[in-house]
Amino acid sequence: MTFEEVERWAAAGQVDGDLDGIHLARVITEEVRRAGKHFLPQPFLLQLSEIRRRHTTDRRPFLRAFLDCLLDKHEERYWNRTYLSLPLLELISDEPGHGPGPSRLATWLISDVVRFEARSAAAPQEPAGADADTDEDRGPDTDPDRDRPGAVTLRKRLRHALRFVAHDHDGLDVEDLSLRAAELLPGPAATDAGRWFEMTVQPVYVLHDEYFFMRALQAHEMVFTAIAQDMTAAIAALRDGCLEPAAACVDRAAASFERASALFRLVATMRPEHFHGFREFTQGASAIQSEQYKRFEILCGLPHAERLGSEAFTSVPAVRAQAQDAGHDTVTHAYLDLRRRARFSWTDWNRFHTALGGLEERHQRWKSTHRSLATRMLGSARGSGDTEGVPYLTQCLDNRLFGRLSGQRVPQCGRAAAP
């Protein structure tokens, strides 16, 4: 379908059902990947706005989420969530009866990186300038998959991606997945939600590395969604007086940080020149706007007033409001309350303290890795959220998840201890 056909479709009001909506989204996605979202022509965007107005109702949440993300730049509400199509991914993750949940969805996302890189490596590369439009209408005047990584970079990228996927494949290692990728790599089923998975990458530019970069950031958000769920479960267990299940939830969250760190190793295969090539068009969408990371943070303990008032939280007002709500609960509050009212052995208390210490340590290592990666990619440049970039991440190293528990003694056997 051409732009002219989409225009006629919009004018005629011919979006008759879910399959029609998916077909339209596929056509739009193909155009986005050909030209880059930043370069979509104004008449095309106006037609899509009209389609959304006339055809996206509460019964079509996937089409609405897709178009809302696509039109973010056009409507001057571009930010991290819409850049990464998170509203659409969350609908897929939560599909009743079929949704994979955030951890499994992260595996799908990185499996898609493997498939994308394998397809790209196998496809012939067009010469520069082939089938080019003017810069006024699209991104660079080369084919949309130009500048694919060399063999060494590709091998390293695939190895890190397969390691991430193998974490979710009991009994299989990277070698198994590498040899049997077509058979074993997981992906969405042909359900109502699963059909939308391929429409969740809308690059702003047409450099090869942006596709895998977006998938890695999406997976990162899903990992932190899962971690936040673990912390919510830990709070519930503490409120129920169940110390061991709470410790197990914290351990599970700590283990997930290994997956989050693995994503940094994957992103490190991105060539800095590619990053700076498409980053020019991502101003306004920044990792500092990650709602899921901030939700995890405020579930551990309430940040101090200075951090809550900083750009880290003013850039995510919904999470900031949640933290400031009088009814907001945290692992720190629930633990201190349990210490006042419950009797556990010294071994049980120590087990929970050890779990908290493990999570704090993994989180600190993750932040340090993040800073190292930013140093390599950004250098002295400012962050895309107009933060100070690397100096901002350096300051964040001083933050602690469980700062209020610093210096707390493990309660003695058989009796509660004062906090």
Side-chain angles (χ1 to χ4, degrees):
M1 180 177 290
T2 64
F3 163 66
E4 289 76 16
E5 289 174 305
V6 171
E7 189 175 24
R8 288 197 297 272
W9 197 352
Q14 295 172 343
V15 182
D16 297 325
D18 288 340
L19 291 178
D20 234 13
I22 289 171
H23 179 55
L24 174 64
R26 285 188 179 128
V27 171
I28 295 168
T29 297
E30 183 178 342
E31 178 62 16
V32 170
R33 294 181 189 169
R34 186 193 73 85
K37 184 165 73 171
H38 185 83
F39 297 90
L40 294 175
Q42 190 76 357
F44 187 62
L45 294 168
L46 291 172
Q47 291 296 342
L48 297 181
S49 295
E50 179 63 13
I51 287 174
R52 184 184 57 182
R53 185 186 70 82
R54 296 175 66 174
H55 301 291
T56 59
T57 65
D58 291 341
R59 293 180 300 169
R60 288 186 175 171
F62 293 96
L63 182 59
R64 172 171 285 280
F66 170 78
L67 291 174
D68 281 349
C69 293
L70 182 70
L71 293 166
D72 57 354
K73 276 180 167 277
H74 172 65
E75 296 174 347
E76 298 184 350
R77 49 177 181 76
Y78 176 66
W79 68 310
N80 194 55
R81 274 184 61 79
T82 52
Y83 172 56
L84 298 179
S85 296
L86 295 181
L88 186 54
L89 281 169
E90 288 162 1
L91 287 174
I92 295 170
S93 177
D94 297 337
E95 182 186 21
H98 300 285
S103 184
R104 185 66 170 168
L105 181 55
T107 301
W108 289 4
L109 291 163
I110 302 306
S111 294
D112 188 58
V113 169
V114 177
R115 294 189 183 98
F116 171 75
E117 296 291 351
R119 284 196 306 268
S120 296
Q125 186 156 356
E126 296 178 17
D131 192 28
D133 296 324
T134 65
D135 287 342
E136 195 173 294
D137 296 324
R138 60 169 292 173
D141 57 349
T142 58
D143 73 284
D145 195 30
R146 73 183 184 121
D147 293 338
R148 293 176 295 206
V152 173
T153 298
L154 179 60
R155 282 196 300 272
K156 185 183 299 184
R157 184 173 299 174
L158 291 176
R159 185 169 67 253
H160 287 310
L162 289 168
R163 283 175 178 165
F164 184 93
V165 174
H167 183 279
D168 203 29
H169 260 284
D170 291 338
L172 291 176
D173 58 21
V174 172
E175 254 339 281
D176 293 323
L177 285 172
S178 181
L179 294 172
R180 302 164 59 196
E183 171 192 353
L184 296 176
L185 283 177
T191 63
D192 290 344
R195 294 186 184 95
W196 287 91
F197 181 77
E198 65 183 279
M199 273 73 78
T200 56
V201 176
Q202 299 172 8
V204 295
Y205 204 38
V206 295
L207 285 171
H208 177 95
D209 280 6
E210 190 182 1
Y211 186 104
F212 106 86
F213 176 70
M214 293 181 74
R215 283 302 196 210
L217 294 187
Q218 290 169 336
H220 191 268
E221 291 299 299
M222 292 302 112
V223 168
F224 272 101
T225 300
I227 293 174
Q229 290 176 351
D230 287 332
M231 302 315 292
T232 299
I235 293 170
L238 289 170
R239 291 303 180 190
D240 288 340
C242 302
L243 200 56
E244 173 54 36
C249 291
V250 175
D251 283 343
R252 191 163 57 243
S256 292
F257 266 94
E258 290 303 309
R259 298 198 89 194
S261 295
L263 290 171
F264 284 147
R265 291 190 286 274
L266 177 62
V267 171
T269 67
M270 182 168 57
R271 292 153 289 178
E273 63 273 19
H274 272 214
F275 177 60
H276 288 280
F278 64 76
R279 183 175 179 267
E280 175 185 352
F281 307 106
T282 63
Q283 294 301 318
S286 168
I288 200 174
Q289 298 163 345
S290 170
E291 290 186 327
Q292 297 307 327
Y293 172 74
K294 302 300 189 332
R295 284 199 173 92
F296 154 70
E297 184 178 346
I298 67 169
L299 286 166
C300 292
L302 195 63
H304 53 74
E306 183 181 355
R307 180 156 173 80
L308 277 177
S310 72
E311 193 173 6
F313 277 90
T314 57
S315 63
V316 286
V319 183
R320 185 168 183 253
Q322 183 181 345
Q324 294 174 324
D325 187 277
H328 176 65
D329 204 358
T330 69
V331 169
T332 296
H333 289 155
Y335 166 70
L336 291 174
D337 285 349
L338 185 62
R339 278 184 55 167
R340 293 185 186 100
R341 63 184 173 84
R343 293 176 178 273
F344 288 95
S345 71
W346 180 89
T347 302
D348 291 334
W349 288 117
N350 192 59
R351 160 82 174 92
F352 188 72
H353 269 233
T354 300
L356 293 183
L359 178 57
E360 190 82 76
E361 180 187 359
R362 297 281 183 90
H363 180 238
Q364 286 298 114
R365 288 210 309 258
W366 173 85
K367 288 192 294 183
S368 180
T369 303
H370 187 189
R371 183 185 61 172
S372 298
L373 178 61
T375 300
R376 176 176 175 269
M377 292 294 178
L378 278 177
S380 60
R382 294 183 68 83
S384 53
D386 202 34
T387 66
E388 293 180 319
V390 174
Y392 166 79
L393 295 176
T394 300
Q395 293 170 9
C396 288
L397 292 177
D398 293 332
N399 299 333
R400 292 294 184 272
L401 299 173
F402 305 106
R404 281 194 59 194
L405 301 181
S406 297
Q408 291 280 334
R409 292 182 299 107
V410 177
Q412 295 302 304
C413 178
R415 56 190 173 86

